[in-house]
Amino acid sequence: MPNPWTGVGNPYTRQEVIERFNNTLSKGESIIVAGAGTGISAKFIEKGGADMIIIYASGRFRMAGAGSVAGMMAYGDANAIAMEIGEYEVLPVVNETPVICGIHASDPRRRMWHWLQQVKAMGFSGINNFPTHTIIDGHFRQTLEETNMGVQKEIDAVALASKMDIFSITYVGTPEEAKKMAEAGADAVIAHVGCTVGGSIGVTDASIGLDEAAKATQAICDAVHSVNKNTFVLSHGGPILTPEDAAYINEHTDTVGFVGASSIERMAVESSITDLTREFKSIPVKRIH
């Protein structure tokens, strides 16, 4: 539906975002969500017809030439970075597409109920749990959990967002996390199967292939839908790099779309700028010294 606030930050209500997603599906189209680290990226992601744009710290590092995992590191305040990208770069240039703010829910300096109010007041149409500790494992993950900085903080933030009637789209890495997020009231769940392969700063080898990614994704779908059959599940990461890859996952699972960050924003820049520069370098010149 047309948004009456178009052009001034495009805030959507939770129900409006859900209706937007369902409208996309009713037309037989996949839901496409894209991460944006710059205003120019967001502007043309919208022009391409994305259903939603997500802003998070990794976008800034990714578009600065670093790997997306930099957004997980102590290289800046992830909450402040996401808010800054939204306020000064993305929200001013996106006219109609809902924009979601990535929140670092385990940040001990933030009162999450207060931060969510600020996110909503800025004009964001929902939240996403990034940076997310769902992609951390091993001893470090155990330490985070034991020191009250683990995934439960993200689940609690989603539950709080649900109570505040704020749309949430959340990363998960396992069926167990997926079920807890669904129980907390997540409106959409992203089945994260690893860092995206390919390009200049992507991982060089996915730990799993497309078939395994499909199986892992379906397990997450099953967990989510055991709680709420209306929750949207989308695919992301690992070997799912191209539109063909995302289509394969859609065909072999119950996902209804794809979330692309590196696979949409970074890969587009890497290929197009390289190719265009080469074209300019090939133009003839008459005068040779």
Side-chain angles (χ1 to χ4, degrees):
M1 65 173 63
N3 193 303
W5 295 98
T6 295
V8 290
N10 55 289
Y12 282 73
T13 67
R14 182 184 191 180
Q15 188 57 41
E16 284 174 337
V17 177
I18 292 171
E19 289 175 4
R20 182 183 176 92
F21 276 12
N22 280 324
N23 183 54
T24 292
L25 294 176
S26 71
K27 293 184 289 187
E29 299 175 358
S30 288
I31 295 168
I32 300 301
V33 178
T38 66
I40 193 72
S41 297
K43 188 174 185 176
F44 287 93
I45 285 169
E46 177 174 53
K47 189 173 181 179
D51 297 283
M52 175 176 284
I53 296 170
I54 302 181
I55 309 302
Y56 35 56
S58 277
R60 169 157 291 174
F61 291 106
R62 178 170 58 244
M63 300 311 287
S68 295
V69 74
M72 294 289 297
M73 306 300 288
Y75 302 149
D77 181 339
N79 283 309
I81 289 171
M83 184 71 83
E84 183 180 85
I85 296 172
E87 180 176 9
Y88 297 114
E89 297 188 46
V90 173
L91 290 171
V93 301
V94 172
N95 291 315
E96 190 268 334
T97 308
V99 180
I100 302 299
C101 185
I103 61 167
H104 199 181
S106 63
D107 185 343
R109 302 165 301 171
R110 291 293 198 289
R111 295 166 294 161
M112 198 46 55
W113 63 270
H114 184 250
W115 186 244
L116 293 184
Q117 287 179 327
Q118 293 180 62
V119 166
K120 189 173 183 179
M122 182 57 66
F124 287 101
S125 298
I127 62 159
N128 167 252
N129 61 324
F130 195 93
T132 176
H133 296 173
T134 63
I135 62 175
I136 299 173
D137 57 15
H139 180 69
F140 185 44
R141 170 68 176 271
Q142 181 180 344
T143 299
L144 289 170
E145 299 292 345
E146 291 177 356
T147 54
N148 199 31
M149 289 182 283
V151 173
Q152 187 59 47
K153 286 286 189 178
E154 300 174 32
I155 297 168
D156 292 344
V158 169
L160 184 58
S162 182
K163 184 177 181 180
M164 296 171 68
D165 204 29
I166 298 173
F167 181 89
S168 60
I169 177 168
T170 66
Y171 285 112
V172 300
T174 67
E176 292 74 25
E177 292 167 352
K179 185 176 182 180
K180 289 179 181 179
M181 283 295 190
E183 289 171 342
D187 300 294
V189 169
I190 308 167
H192 196 304
V193 293
C195 291
T196 304
V197 301
S200 64
I201 52 176
V203 296
T204 57
D205 184 30
S207 59
I208 58 176
L210 272 180
D211 285 339
E212 292 175 278
K215 291 178 182 177
T217 299
Q218 184 56 44
I220 286 172
C221 289
D222 291 340
V224 170
H225 293 151
S226 71
V227 177
N228 187 347
K229 294 187 181 299
N230 294 320
T231 304
F232 307 98
V233 183
L234 299 94
S235 64
H236 174 77
I240 314 169
L241 178 64
T242 67
E244 292 76 19
D245 297 334
Y248 180 91
I249 299 298
N250 269 5
E251 291 165 6
H252 291 81
T253 71
D254 294 330
T255 55
V256 292
F258 173 71
V259 176
S262 294
S263 52
I264 292 179
E265 182 180 41
R266 175 173 62 82
M267 295 302 290
V269 169
E270 289 188 13
S271 59
S272 60
I273 290 179
T274 301
D275 292 343
L276 186 57
T277 303
R278 285 172 178 160
E279 287 183 39
F280 274 111
K281 280 295 293 179
S282 69
I283 65 175
V285 60
K286 289 177 61 178
R287 183 175 179 181
I288 303 175
H289 291 285

